[in-house]
C-alpha cells in the first residue's frame, strides 16, 4: 500500500513540477511579448493594447460552463477504470462543446466589439482592436480545455 501511495505522490509531484515549468515559461513569453508591444506602441498608446483585451477576456470567462473541471475529473475517473471508449467520447464531446461555445463567443465579440468599446469602456476608438483581439477567445479556450484534459489524463 505504501509503495502505491509513494508512486502516486511521485507522479503528482512530477506533474506539478511540469505544470509549474509550463506556467513560468508561459509567463516569461507573455512578459516578453508585452514588452515588445509596449515598445512598438509607445507609452501613450500601450493602454489601448490592454483595454482591447478586456472585452475578449470577458467573453472567455463567461463560456466555461464547468466543462473543464468535468473533463479533468471524469477523464481521470474513466482512465482509472480503463474505459477508454467512454473516455475518448467524453473528451471529444468536451472539446466540441468548448469549441462551439468559443466560436459563438467569437462571433458575438466581433459583432459587439464596437458597441462594448463605446458603452462599456467609453473608448470607441478601440472597437477595431477589440475585434482583432477577439481571436484570442478560441485559442484561450483550446488551451484551457487541453490543460484540463491533460491533467485528468495524468499527462501534465
Amino acid at each position: 500500500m505504501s509503495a502505491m501511495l509513494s508512486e502516486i505522490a511521485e507522479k503528482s509531484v512530477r506533474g506539478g513540477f511540469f505544470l509549474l515549468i509550463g506556467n513560468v515559461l508561459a509567463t516569461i513569453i507573455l512578459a516578453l511579448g508585452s514588452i515588445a508591444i509596449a515598445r512598438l506602441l509607445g507609452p501613450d498608446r500601450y493602454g489601448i493594447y490592454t483595454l482591447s483585451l478586456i472585452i475578449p477576456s470577458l467573453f472567455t470567462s463567461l463560456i466555461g460552463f464547468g466543462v473543464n473541471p468535468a473533463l479533468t475529473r471524469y477523464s481521470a475517473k474513466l482512465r482509472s477504470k480503463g474505459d477508454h471508449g467512454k473516455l475518448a467520447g467524453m473528451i471529444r464531446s468536451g472539446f466540441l462543446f468548448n469549441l462551439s461555445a468559443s466560436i459563438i463567443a467569437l462571433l458575438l465579440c466581433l459583432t459587439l466589439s464596437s458597441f462594448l468599446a463605446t458603452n462599456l469602456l467609453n473608448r470607441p476608438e478601440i472597437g477595431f482592436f477589440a475585434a482583432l483581439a477577439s481571436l484570442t477567445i478560441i485559442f484561450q479556450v483550446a488551451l484551457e480545455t487541453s490543460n484540463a484534459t491533460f491533467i485528468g489524463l495524468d499527462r501534465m
Side-chain angles (χ1 to χ4, degrees):
M1 181 70 172
S2 67
M4 190 169 98
L5 185 61
S6 174
E7 182 182 330
I8 291 171
E10 184 180 326
K11 268 188 169 181
S12 295
V13 169
R14 187 175 336 124
F17 176 73
F18 286 128
L19 286 173
L20 173 71
I21 295 299
N23 284 335
V24 167
L25 288 175
T27 302
I28 290 170
I29 291 169
L30 284 172
L32 293 175
S34 294
I35 290 169
I37 289 171
R39 287 181 180 232
L40 288 171
L41 292 176
D44 56 330
R45 293 188 350 207
Y46 183 66
I48 292 172
Y49 167 72
T50 305
L51 284 174
S52 65
L53 290 174
I54 290 174
I55 295 171
S57 296
L58 288 172
F59 278 94
T60 302
S61 65
L62 293 175
I63 61 172
F65 305 118
V67 172
N68 290 339
L71 279 172
T72 301
R73 182 185 190 287
Y74 290 108
S75 60
K77 184 177 180 180
L78 292 172
R79 183 182 56 84
S80 69
K81 287 182 178 180
D83 196 351
H84 299 293
K86 281 186 182 177
L87 175 62
M90 185 208 52
I91 291 172
R92 189 177 312 111
S93 297
F95 266 96
L96 287 174
F97 179 82
N98 279 348
L99 178 65
S100 301
S102 66
I103 289 172
I104 291 169
L106 169 68
L107 294 174
L108 279 172
C109 190
L110 284 172
T111 305
L112 299 174
S113 60
S114 293
F115 174 77
L116 292 173
T118 302
N119 295 315
L120 181 67
L121 301 175
N122 201 21
R123 302 287 299 265
E125 68 274 8
I126 68 166
F128 169 74
F129 297 116
L132 187 62
S134 66
L135 295 173
T136 62
I137 293 171
I138 291 179
F139 296 111
Q140 184 66 32
V141 169
L143 175 68
E144 291 171 1
T145 305
S146 297
N147 277 341
T149 303
F150 286 138
I151 289 170
L153 293 174
D154 204 22
R155 301 280 186 217
M156 289 106 150

